[in-house]
Amino acid sequence: QVQLVESGGDLVQPGGSLRLSCAASGSRVSVNTMSWYRQAPEKQRELVATVTSGGSTNYADSVKGRFTISRDNAKNTVYLQMNSLKPEDTAVYYCKLRTLLGNSYWGQGTQVTVSS
């Protein structure tokens, strides 16, 4: 019913920029809480950024000032703009949708690699 498809992951040099996309179907990003998570090799999955239905945003301390989460309701898509990328940002990035009733849905993930 609910499907999330991430795209935009790539290999970039330190200091570079990248924009990830999360296209949703089966539910509206405008009325749900949308989040980006990431998981590096041998590490736990961590919350990166969140935007609520009311437009409030939150960021992990490690990405504040560098990453921006946004939403295009007409396209039913959530974005993660990543600037000033560092090698420690290397991870698989996942999109998550959480409904008001507490049901969560995950995308398949997209690989971001920051390396020289």
Side-chain angles (χ1 to χ4, degrees):
Q1 181 184 354
V2 177
Q3 186 174 4
L4 305 174
V5 180
E6 301 103 326
S7 62
D10 205 352
L11 170 64
V12 297
Q13 294 187 358
S17 297
L18 206 59
R19 189 176 78 159
L20 306 182
S21 299
C22 174
S25 61
S27 191
R28 289 288 171 183
V29 302
S30 61
V31 298
N32 296 292
T33 297
M34 304 298 301
S35 299
W36 286 96
Y37 288 74
R38 68 186 181 187
Q39 187 167 17
E42 308 298 329
K43 291 190 174 182
Q44 298 294 312
R45 189 170 299 185
E46 63 176 345
L47 177 63
V48 175
T50 296
V51 60
T52 69
S53 60
S56 299
T57 58
N58 294 99
Y59 299 92
D61 289 341
S62 58
V63 307
K64 285 181 179 177
R66 300 189 298 121
F67 290 11
T68 303
I69 188 170
S70 62
R71 188 177 59 205
D72 187 329
N73 294 336
K75 296 181 178 180
N76 206 33
T77 298
V78 174
Y79 304 96
L80 185 67
Q81 178 66 48
M82 305 184 294
N83 299 324
S84 302
L85 283 163
K86 305 174 181 179
E88 49 262 46
D89 295 319
T90 296
V92 177
Y93 284 72
Y94 298 90
C95 179
K96 188 187 80 172
L97 180 155
R98 191 179 195 274
T99 69
L100 185 63
L101 295 180
N103 296 316
S104 294
Y105 303 89
W106 294 85
Q108 82 289 350
T110 185
Q111 177 70 50
V112 173
T113 302
V114 185
S115 177
S116 298

